Amino acid sequence: MRQRSRGSLDSSALILVQSLLTLLLGFAVQVVLAARLGVGTPMDVFVAASTVPTLITTVAMSVFAAVLVPLLKERAISDPGGEGQVVGRLVRVTALLAAAVVVALVVAAPWLVRVLVPGFDAASVASAALLLRVMAAGCFFDILRCALTGVHYARERFLLPQLAPSLNHALMLLSALFLLEPLGLAGL
């Protein structure tokens, strides 16, 4: 019992430290974007384009954490050999679902932007729709990451799932610092 509580404490500390790192990196991204884009149309375009992908990732993480972790834990107890089959099926279904989400975002991008930001002029709608289409590709990987995070959590492995958001923010920070100027918003 004491060994188990020590492991839980270590896991909790790891999650806490990684969460703080993710928050700090996310804050750094926001500071750099604010400094580089300022207040105005470019920042509005970025926020409009990133809103739906961020919402999709947040919902996917919540759903997979709430549904998948208990399901896999129960499966591991009731049928230890069957967990791998469930995970394989989960990854295939999640990949298909993620691909459908990407296609839907790409097709609906201009409409989504007009709904989210009804005051945008035609050029801003076009810019935000293009950026949303670029970000849609990232949704594919984010949805898969959410599913795999649930698998790792069910197996009580926390390091890799906690590193992924920090890595995402670190790459976003590097993109904002080095790719924003030469490539524009698509460099994000």
Side-chain angles (χ1 to χ4, degrees):
M1 179 70 172
R2 189 154 176 82
Q3 181 72 4
R4 178 131 174 102
S5 65
R6 174 71 181 168
S8 296
L9 184 61
D10 290 346
S11 296
S12 297
L14 174 69
I15 290 171
L16 174 67
V17 169
Q18 279 301 126
S19 296
L20 289 173
L21 177 62
T22 299
L23 288 171
L24 288 172
L25 286 168
F27 181 72
V29 168
Q30 296 305 313
V31 168
V32 169
L33 287 176
R36 295 281 172 109
L37 297 177
V39 175
T41 302
M43 181 60 98
D44 292 344
V45 165
F46 173 77
V47 170
S50 65
T51 297
V52 173
T54 301
L55 177 65
I56 289 170
T57 301
T58 302
V59 169
M61 183 56 81
S62 299
V63 168
F64 282 120
V67 175
L68 186 61
V69 173
L71 177 77
L72 287 175
K73 283 206 156 287
E74 179 183 309
R75 182 64 178 229
I77 292 167
S78 66
D79 182 14
E83 182 194 13
Q85 292 174 342
V86 171
V87 170
R89 237 178 285 133
L90 168 77
V91 170
R92 287 189 297 275
V93 169
T94 301
L96 288 172
L97 175 68
V101 167
V102 169
V103 169
L105 285 176
V106 167
V107 170
W111 179 81
L112 285 169
V113 170
R114 282 193 291 276
V115 167
L116 286 172
V117 194
F120 266 11
D121 60 23
S124 296
V125 168
S127 294
L130 174 64
L131 187 57
L132 175 54
R133 288 179 172 129
V134 170
M135 291 180 168
C139 271
F140 179 83
F141 297 105
D142 281 339
I143 293 169
L144 279 177
R145 176 184 57 86
C146 291
L148 293 174
T149 293
V151 170
H152 280 278
Y153 282 178
R155 293 177 176 168
E156 297 183 9
R157 297 179 187 156
F158 302 101
L159 180 61
L160 287 178
Q162 286 303 118
L163 284 175
S166 295
L167 179 61
N168 182 43
H169 285 309
L171 291 173
M172 186 76 161
L173 182 60
L174 291 172
S175 296
L177 288 170
F178 300 109
L179 298 177
L180 183 59
E181 194 171 318
L183 299 178
L185 288 175
L188 296 174

